Amino acid sequence: MGSLQKEGVNQPLLESNTPAAEASSELEEILSDATLSWWRRFQKAMVIELRYLFRLAGPAVIVYLLNNVTSMSTQIFCGHLGNLELAASSLGNNGIQLLAYGLMLGMGSAVETLCGQAYGAHRYEMLGIYMQRSTVLLMVTGIPLMVVYIFSKPILLFLGQAPDLAAAAALFVYGLIPQIFAYAANFAMQKFLQAQSIVNPSAYISAAALVAHILMTWVALYVFHWGLLGAGLVLSLSWWIIVAAQFVYIVSSDRCKETWTGFSWMAFSGLWDFFKLSAASAVMLCLETWYFQVLVLIAGLLPDPEIALDSLAICGTLLGWVFMVSVGFNAAVSVRVSNELGAGHPRSAAFSVVVSTGASLLVAVVFAIITVVFRYQLSYVFTSGEAVSNAVADLTPILAAAVVLNGIQPVLSGVAVGCGWQAFVAYVNVGCYYFVGIPVGAGIWSGMLGGTLMQTVILIWVTARTDWNKEVDKAKDRLDKWNDKKERLSAE
C-alpha cells in the first residue's frame, strides 16, 4: 500500500476531510490492522461498511423503485381499461421500451466506472466532463432507437404478433419516443451524482415525479380519454420532469461545485474511446434485458397470447420490483468499489463486495417468501381476471427462484462496473443467455433461470479470484490515460 501512495493514486483522497474519505480511510486501516483478531476486524469493518452501504443503497433503491413504479403505474391504469390495453402496454413497455432502457442504462455504466474511480482519486474536475461526454453519446444513440419506435407496428407484425395487439402496442410506443432522450440525459446525470454518493436528492425528485405522474395519467385516461397514446406521452413527460429537476440540482448545489464547472467543448473530445467503453457496458446489460424481451415476444406467439402476456408481464413486474432493490445495491457497490479502487484501498473494495452481496441476497429471500405466500392475490393489483390469477400462481415457484438469483447477480454486475469489467461480462452474458438459456430451456422461465444461474456462478467465481491490488493499479492506469487526454486537449 505504501507504493500506491507514493505513486499518487490515493494521496489526494487521504488529505480530504470529507466524511466519505474519512470512513474510507478508517475502513482500510481496520482491515489492514494485524494487531486485531480476524473476528474483531470483521466486526468493526462491518459496522462501518453497513452504515456506508445503506446510506448509499437505501436512497438508490428508492430511486429505482419509484422510477419502476412510475412505469408500472401506467400499466396498471391501462390494465383497468381492458385486457387488450394491459397486453399492449406490457408489450410496448417490456418488448420495445426495454430496448431503450437497457441500452441507455448500459451505456451509462461507462460513466459510472470513470466517475466513481475519478472521485475516489480526488480528480473531481473530470466528473463533469465524463457526464457531458456520456450525454452526447447517449443522445446520438437515441436517434436510431427513435426509428425503431416509429416502425414498431410493422416490426411487431413481422415477429408474428396479432394485428390488433401490434397496433395497440405501437400506439403506446409512439408516445414513448420523447422518453428515449430523457433516458439519455437522466442516466448520465444519475451516475454522475451516484459516483459522489449524492443519492437523496434523486429520491426526492423521483417521489415528486411519481405523484405528478399518477395525477397526470388519471387525467389523461379518465378525463380526456386519450387512451394508450396519452398514457405513453404522460410517461415521457414524467421522465423529462425528473431530468429537469436533476439538472437544476447539479448546476445549483454546492455539493457539485467542484465536479460541475459548466459546459465544456471537451465533452466532444475522446468520443471514440469513450464509445468503446460505453458500447461494452451496453452490451453487458442489453444482452440480459433483450433476453427478457425475447420471452415477451415468445409469449405473444402462444395460443392464448393475452393471458400469456398478462401473466408474464405481472411476473416480470414483480421480479422487476426485487430487481430494482438489487439494482440499488448494484449502484451502491459500484460506487463503493470504484471509489475504493480509485483511492487505492483494495481491502475495502473486496470487503464491500462481500457485504453488499450478502445484504441483497437476504432482501431477495424475504421477497421470495412473500411472493409464494401471496401467489393467488398478486395479480389482482393489475387486473381482475381469474384466468390471469391462476396463471400467475402456477408460475410463482419459478418466479421465487428467479427472485433469489436476482438478489445476487445484479450486485456482482455492479462489482464488474466498479472495476471496469464490462467487456468480459458481455461475453459471459452471450454464453449464458443465448447459448445456454434459450436453446436448453424447456420453457420460457426455465430457460431464463438456467441462463441467470450460470451467469451468477461465473461471476461469483471470477469475483472470488480477483486480485484487488491489481485492480487498484488498473484503476490508476485508466485514470491517467483519460487525464492525459484532457491535459492534451487543454494545451491545444
Side-chain angles (χ1 to χ4, degrees):
M1 288 297 295
S3 61
L4 289 173
Q5 294 175 13
K6 291 176 183 178
E7 291 171 357
V9 63
N10 65 340
Q11 193 66 29
L13 184 56
L14 291 177
E15 295 172 356
S16 172
N17 292 320
T18 64
E22 292 174 357
S24 176
S25 299
E26 182 185 4
L27 180 61
E28 189 70 14
E29 289 172 4
I30 290 171
L31 292 170
S32 305
D33 190 352
T35 63
L36 296 175
S37 66
W38 175 89
W39 177 243
R40 185 57 180 159
R41 289 201 306 270
F42 177 81
Q43 285 181 311
K44 296 181 70 175
M46 180 67 76
V47 171
I48 295 174
E49 182 60 33
L50 282 177
R51 183 172 63 245
Y52 198 75
L53 176 66
F54 280 97
R55 193 163 62 239
L56 285 170
V61 167
I62 292 173
V63 169
Y64 287 113
L65 278 175
L66 289 174
N67 290 344
N68 188 52
V69 170
T70 299
S71 296
M72 182 196 68
S73 64
T74 298
Q75 286 186 222
I76 292 175
F77 274 112
C78 292
H80 286 284
L81 294 177
N83 281 346
L84 177 62
E85 286 79 4
L86 175 61
S89 61
S90 300
L91 186 59
N93 253 332
N94 301 322
I96 301 294
Q97 178 261 355
L98 199 60
L99 169 71
Y101 184 91
L103 186 61
M104 295 296 185
L105 181 61
M107 292 188 72
S109 72
V111 76
E112 187 174 3
T113 301
L114 295 170
C115 282
Q117 294 182 359
Y119 189 78
H122 209 202
R123 300 181 184 181
Y124 296 151
E125 76 284 354
M126 299 169 66
L127 274 72
I129 303 299
Y130 292 153
M131 182 187 73
Q132 294 175 63
R133 193 173 292 160
S134 178
T135 303
V136 170
L137 284 175
L138 292 176
M139 287 290 183
V140 173
T141 304
I143 296 174
L145 285 174
M146 181 177 64
V147 175
V148 174
Y149 276 44
I150 292 173
F151 291 98
S152 56
K153 181 178 178 180
I155 290 173
L156 291 172
L157 289 173
F158 175 77
L159 294 174
Q161 302 299 317
D164 58 339
L165 185 58
L171 190 63
F172 178 73
V173 168
Y174 296 154
L176 296 180
I177 290 176
Q179 186 191 50
I180 300 172
F181 301 98
Y183 280 162
N186 175 72
F187 289 131
M189 289 190 290
Q190 192 176 75
K191 302 304 181 184
F192 167 84
L193 291 170
Q194 286 177 355
Q196 304 171 65
S197 301
I198 302 174
V199 284
N200 286 336
S202 294
Y204 299 141
I205 291 169
S206 296
L210 174 60
V211 173
H213 173 75
I214 292 174
L215 178 61
M216 291 188 298
T217 303
W218 181 83
V219 171
L221 295 185
Y222 296 103
V223 176
F224 294 108
H225 304 288
W226 287 347
L228 288 170
L229 178 61
L233 288 172
V234 169
L235 186 54
S236 294
L237 176 59
S238 298
W239 274 91
W240 273 108
I241 291 173
I242 294 174
V243 168
Q246 286 191 136
F247 181 72
V248 169
Y249 178 83
I250 289 172
V251 300
S252 62
S253 174
D254 288 339
R255 297 180 67 183
C256 299
K257 63 182 180 181
E258 293 185 75
T259 53
W260 172 260
T261 56
F263 293 104
S264 172
W265 287 108
M266 284 188 288
F268 298 94
S269 68
L271 286 175
W272 176 244
D273 287 332
F274 203 88
F275 171 76
K276 288 189 289 185
L277 180 60
S278 297
S281 302
V283 170
M284 181 189 81
L285 187 62
C286 285
L287 290 173
E288 192 171 335
T289 55
W290 289 348
Y291 179 74
F292 184 74
Q293 286 179 284
V294 171
L295 299 184
V296 172
L297 294 172
I298 290 174
L301 301 176
L302 295 177
D304 193 349
E306 282 190 21
I307 298 298
L309 275 172
D310 288 350
S311 59
L312 180 62
I314 291 170
C315 289
T317 300
L318 296 172
L319 184 60
W321 289 351
V322 181
F323 183 75
M324 290 300 108
V325 175
S326 299
V327 168
F329 283 99
N330 168 291
V333 75
S334 175
V335 171
R336 294 289 297 121
V337 169
S338 59
N339 284 177
E340 297 295 353
L341 292 180
H345 297 160
R347 292 180 180 86
S348 297
F351 189 74
S352 180
V353 171
V354 175
V355 175
S356 300
T357 305
S360 180
L361 177 60
L362 180 61
V363 172
V365 169
V366 172
F367 272 103
I369 294 172
I370 293 174
T371 300
V372 172
V373 172
F374 295 100
R375 60 187 179 277
Y376 286 103
Q377 290 79 31
L378 293 172
S379 68
Y380 290 106
V381 177
F382 302 87
T383 182
S384 56
E386 184 177 352
V388 175
S389 175
N390 293 332
V392 170
D394 291 340
L395 288 173
T396 298
I398 300 178
L399 174 62
V403 164
V404 173
L405 283 177
N406 275 277
I408 305 174
Q409 182 272 331
V411 179
L412 297 178
S413 294
V415 175
V417 171
C419 295
W421 298 341
Q422 288 95 328
F424 166 75
V425 178
Y427 290 120
V428 172
N429 287 357
V430 170
C432 292
Y433 287 105
Y434 294 89
F435 288 98
V436 175
I438 292 178
V440 175
I444 291 178
W445 282 89
S446 60
M448 186 188 73
L449 279 178
T452 305
L453 177 61
M454 183 176 179
Q455 180 200 33
T456 303
V457 170
I458 293 174
L459 290 178
I460 290 174
W461 180 77
V462 171
T463 304
R465 292 173 56 87
T466 297
D467 185 333
W468 293 101
N469 289 291
K470 288 184 179 180
E471 293 302 322
V472 167
D473 292 336
K474 291 178 183 178
K476 179 183 181 298
D477 292 341
R478 183 180 294 113
L479 289 173
D480 287 342
K481 171 186 174 183
W482 287 99
N483 201 44
D484 287 345
K485 291 180 179 179
K486 174 179 175 291
E487 290 174 354
R488 286 200 303 270
L489 184 64
S490 299
E492 295 172 359

